[in-house]
Amino acid sequence: MEILIRLVTLLFDLVFPWVIGYGLGQSKYRSEKLCSYLLIGNILFFWPLIGLISMWGIRLEYSLILLVLIGLIPYLAPGIIGWFQCRQKFTNPLDQGSYFLMALLPNNITIGFIASFILFGERGVALTQIITLCAMPVNFLISYPFGQYFGNLGGAKGLAKPTFKTVLFSKNQIPTLGILIGLTLNIFGVARPNVMTSILPVLIHLSAWAFLFPVGHSMKFSAMKQYLPISIEMLSYKFLITPIAVALSVYFLFSDPTIIGTAIVIGFSPVAIFSIVISQIYHLNYHMAITGVLVSHVVFSIIIFPILILLKDWLW
């Protein structure tokens, strides 16, 4: 029964938002404004609160700092491969840029919240916050410049150059502020209200819908078909090379099953939805990015995560 409940939760949080978003996107009720509001609401409301609540309640240990370094592996391992492969596979810089961003960026925050909560509860969510602490800096300090680099190579015009000031003080950094506030309250021993324990699961479910619904809404299968082979090939980066690298590191450094399990789950993160956002901003190959996101999320939802649920007690 426990496994069934976890699978139903997975279906509700990962599959339904895509399907309903796609259905609405193909109807007369299609609304780009709604999708924009949902994405902004996630960044400005759901993510900051999830970060604050989960970091406020976790038991802090110095060894957890190592998790931040392990959290870089899902970027470095596939990112290095993607950097060399994008130049071998494509001649158009706009294609190269989307391919590289697909390889570089894992969907470790949204998938991390959902998957770690289903498997490990609130502590898993808090550990995910620590493991993904570098996600925002990497997304905004590294991904944006690379997006602009490939966009400029491809001849895209009118691209705004990101500066340290605009990135650091962007509204997109508000989730990081939530994490820092929660961490500060934790360090100073401020008691967290019990009601927060009940609020956190609701926020996680709403956040998943607010982020995945707009992606389903914008899908166009006719433009995505040609990129299926590339997206399937990239699965080996995301679901084989990266998880192995993460598992070897975390088994060597930790013995706590929840820490090991959470890190491994993060290691299986599919292609980041953020790669679509950057591809749109810098006029890269948007359809390639969305195909990679769709294929990797479908495989994660239907194959990878159910296997992790079934093997939970054996793997860590």
Side-chain angles (χ1 to χ4, degrees), residues 78-84 86 90 95-105 142-143 146-147 150 234 288:
I80 291 172
I81 298 172
W83 176 257
F84 291 103
C86 73
F90 306 102
D95 295 333
Q96 293 174 350
S98 286
Y99 186 90
F100 172 66
L101 290 170
M102 287 162 56
L104 175 69
L105 300 174
I142 297 178
S143 303
F146 270 117
F150 284 107
M234 188 167 288
M288 181 192 296

Side-chain angles (χ1 to χ4, degrees), residues 127-172:
L127 290 170
T128 298
Q129 294 283 0
I130 296 173
I131 296 171
T132 62
L133 201 58
C134 290
M136 290 301 175
V138 170
N139 286 347
F140 297 109
L141 295 177
I142 297 178
S143 303
Y144 272 97
F146 270 117
Q148 185 190 28
Y149 168 75
F150 284 107
N152 287 335
L153 283 181
K157 304 296 183 181
L159 299 181
K161 183 178 180 180
T163 65
F164 182 79
K165 181 179 178 180
T166 57
V167 169
L168 184 62
F169 296 102
S170 164
K171 66 178 181 295
N172 296 315

Side-chain angles (χ1 to χ4, degrees), residues 58 64 67 70-71 74 107-109 111-132 242-243 246-247 250-251 254-269 300 305 308 312 315-316:
I58 191 173
L64 295 180
L67 283 177
I70 290 176
N107 190 6
N108 50 4
I109 296 181
I111 292 298
F113 284 161
I114 300 169
S116 62
F117 180 74
I118 292 174
L119 288 173
F120 307 109
E122 182 180 329
R123 186 167 182 240
V125 175
L127 290 170
T128 298
Q129 294 283 0
I130 296 173
I131 296 171
T132 62
T242 303
V246 170
V250 76
Y251 273 117
F254 295 95
S255 58
D256 186 315
T258 303
I259 293 177
I260 293 172
T262 303
I264 291 176
V265 169
I266 297 299
F268 277 101
S269 296
F300 180 88
F305 195 58
L308 291 176
K312 175 178 179 291
L315 288 174
W316 44 78

Side-chain angles (χ1 to χ4, degrees), residues 111-291:
I111 292 298
F113 284 161
I114 300 169
S116 62
F117 180 74
I118 292 174
L119 288 173
F120 307 109
E122 182 180 329
R123 186 167 182 240
V125 175
L127 290 170
T128 298
Q129 294 283 0
I130 296 173
I131 296 171
T132 62
L133 201 58
C134 290
M136 290 301 175
V138 170
N139 286 347
F140 297 109
L141 295 177
I142 297 178
S143 303
Y144 272 97
F146 270 117
Q148 185 190 28
Y149 168 75
F150 284 107
N152 287 335
L153 283 181
K157 304 296 183 181
L159 299 181
K161 183 178 180 180
T163 65
F164 182 79
K165 181 179 178 180
T166 57
V167 169
L168 184 62
F169 296 102
S170 164
K171 66 178 181 295
N172 296 315
Q173 297 293 3
I174 291 179
T176 305
L177 181 62
I179 293 173
L180 293 176
I181 293 173
L183 189 60
T184 302
L185 292 170
N186 192 324
I187 292 173
F188 283 96
V190 179
R192 194 185 75 175
N194 292 332
V195 69
M196 296 292 187
T197 304
S198 301
I199 292 175
L200 184 62
V202 177
L203 292 173
I204 291 171
H205 295 312
L206 292 175
S207 173
W209 276 77
F211 207 61
L212 296 175
F213 176 91
V215 178
H217 188 274
S218 60
M219 290 191 305
K220 294 181 180 179
F221 285 109
S222 58
M224 294 161 54
K225 291 178 182 178
Q226 61 179 309
Y227 303 113
L228 281 175
I230 294 169
S231 301
I232 292 172
E233 177 186 288
M234 188 167 288
L235 296 179
S236 63
Y237 308 169
K238 298 293 185 179
F239 298 148
L240 182 62
I241 296 171
T242 303
I244 290 175
V246 170
L248 290 175
S249 301
V250 76
Y251 273 117
F252 178 75
L253 295 171
F254 295 95
S255 58
D256 186 315
T258 303
I259 293 177
I260 293 172
T262 303
I264 291 176
V265 169
I266 297 299
F268 277 101
S269 296
V271 176
I273 296 170
F274 203 67
S275 64
I276 301 174
V277 176
I278 299 178
S279 294
Q280 287 179 310
I281 292 173
Y282 294 108
H283 311 304
L284 307 180
N285 191 331
Y286 164 82
H287 294 297
M288 181 192 296
I290 199 170
T291 306

Side-chain angles (χ1 to χ4, degrees), residues 51-60 122 126 182-183 186 190 192:
L52 189 156
I53 294 171
S54 60
M55 291 304 293
W56 193 356
I58 191 173
R59 185 167 62 89
L60 298 175
E122 182 180 329
L183 189 60
N186 192 324
V190 179
R192 194 185 75 175

